[in-house]
Amino acid sequence: MCKQILSGAVIALALGGLAQPVAAQVTPREEMEMLANEARDGQPESELLYGLALLRGRDGIAPDPAQGYSWIRRAAHEGDVYAQYTLGNLYAEGRGTEAKPDRAIYWGRQAAQGDNRDAQYRLGKAYREGKRVARDDVAAIHWLTKAAQQGSADAEYLIGKMYLEGDAVAQDRLLARDWLDRAARQGHSEALNVLRGLAAVVDATTMVYRQSTDELKARAHAGDPQAEYELAMRYQDGAYDVTKNDAKALQWLLSAANHGNLLAMRTLAHVYNQGELGISRDPQQGVYWQQRAQQGRGR
């Protein structure tokens, strides 16, 4: 069967269904039959997609976790990294097969070594918690850092918490703030909550803006979004040599958000939802700022 027939449309079909048929002459069920034929021909990508379809049930295919496991296992043995990650999860959950913690770790490690970000995060978390493997702080930091370098917000948050608490690493609030800020910028709500608590701690500001208020104000007045956000946090908490001032905190938060600072946008969403900084609760404004943060834009 010609591989081009399937293209990206079948991937969407196997993972979640298609909004419209790929072509008027081919039904979703026929697409699935093509996918099954390619899987039987030994194409790893099709084995994976057919296995996922069997796990969940798609377009006339009844859910069959055992068969899904079987196809995903074939793809994993043939080197498909996502199949390896999925197979590890199936062994961990006992879905479609008997739960086997040792095999879950084995296949999770295979996927992590193949640069699967989620597998790297889960493996690092397992080493940190000592779940299914002996606790290994060095391995935990290694795999969590690998995942964070690929943009995993969960890994960024966990590394930040580890530095904050001195868990497996030397306590360093500046590094904690840096990692938590990365996670918060991706919308990680727990990271944002921790950052709000850190804002009141004198030595927890970022390395870039650990400076006098006059220097920070100069940067903020020049339109630097991160300086505007940091200045807002100082006014909110009365940190350093700044007198607590809710109105100025709100003013600089708005300026930072309108200049594109995603953390400021998410903070504003919280402020309006909770009615903080001297303003009444305004859920509409809360939704507005949350949506802007999700869209990743300022003005």
Side-chain angles (χ1 to χ4, degrees):
M1 185 68 63
C2 179
K3 194 167 185 177
Q4 283 82 359
I5 292 176
L6 295 176
S7 70
V10 175
I11 295 178
L13 176 63
L15 294 177
L18 292 173
Q20 296 178 349
V22 175
Q25 308 95 309
V26 181
T27 67
R29 186 182 179 89
E30 289 170 335
E31 287 280 358
M32 269 299 160
E33 290 172 356
M34 289 186 231
L35 182 62
N37 288 333
E38 288 197 347
R40 294 185 190 103
D41 286 342
Q43 296 184 20
E45 290 181 3
S46 296
E47 291 169 347
L48 167 63
L49 295 175
Y50 190 49
L52 291 172
L54 285 163
L55 279 179
R56 303 164 185 177
R58 285 286 182 272
D59 299 300
I61 297 180
D64 190 334
Q67 280 294 313
Y69 154 78
S70 178
W71 284 107
I72 290 169
R73 182 173 180 272
R74 285 176 59 169
H77 278 281
E78 290 172 17
D80 187 287
V81 174
Y82 187 76
Q84 292 169 345
Y85 168 67
T86 305
L87 183 60
N89 290 341
L90 294 179
Y91 278 126
E93 299 166 5
R95 186 179 179 196
T97 184
E98 181 183 351
K100 297 179 180 179
D102 59 329
R103 301 309 290 166
I105 287 293
Y106 172 82
W107 286 108
R109 185 179 290 109
Q110 293 294 110
Q113 291 171 344
D115 273 344
N116 181 281
R117 184 181 76 178
D118 294 330
Q120 291 169 341
Y121 165 70
R122 289 200 177 191
L123 186 58
K125 189 169 183 284
Y127 275 121
R128 175 180 178 260
E129 297 174 348
K131 289 186 177 178
R132 301 194 301 272
V133 290
R135 174 160 177 158
D136 186 330
D137 293 341
V138 174
I141 284 292
H142 171 77
W143 288 113
L144 288 171
T145 301
K146 285 273 192 184
Q149 288 170 342
Q150 294 200 70
S152 168
D154 286 331
E156 292 166 345
Y157 167 72
L158 191 50
I159 294 172
K161 285 278 287 181
M162 291 169 74
Y163 275 115
L164 181 62
E165 298 166 0
D167 178 8
V169 292
Q171 188 177 45
D172 189 325
R173 282 177 170 162
L174 291 174
L175 284 176
R177 176 65 182 267
D178 180 60
W179 282 108
L180 290 167
D181 185 69
R182 296 186 198 188
R185 288 175 185 276
Q186 294 198 66
H188 199 289
S189 59
E190 291 180 63
L192 179 56
N193 290 336
V194 175
L195 278 171
R196 289 179 58 78
L198 277 177
V201 180
V202 169
D203 64 350
T205 52
T206 61
M207 286 181 277
V208 177
Y209 296 112
R210 194 179 187 184
Q211 54 198 335
S212 72
T213 298
D214 286 341
E215 291 173 306
L216 195 60
K217 283 181 177 179
R219 288 179 178 269
H221 282 290
D224 184 321
Q226 190 171 350
E228 292 172 329
Y229 175 74
E230 291 289 341
L231 187 57
M233 292 297 96
R234 292 193 187 186
Y235 276 120
Q236 180 180 358
D237 300 301
Y240 285 87
D241 54 342
V242 172
T243 301
K244 180 177 171 62
N245 187 314
D246 287 348
K248 288 187 177 180
L250 183 60
Q251 170 196 332
W252 285 111
L253 274 178
L254 287 165
S255 185
N258 281 318
H259 286 150
N261 188 293
L262 298 182
L263 190 54
M265 296 179 203
R266 296 185 183 108
T267 302
L268 281 171
H270 177 85
V271 166
Y272 280 109
N273 284 329
Q274 300 300 317
E276 297 181 354
L277 298 182
I279 62 174
S280 301
R281 288 184 69 252
D282 189 337
Q284 279 189 314
Q285 280 293 307
V287 170
Y288 170 76
W289 283 110
Q290 187 61 44
Q291 289 177 342
R292 283 181 65 171
Q294 290 170 349
Q295 293 163 3
R297 62 185 176 84
R299 294 186 188 277

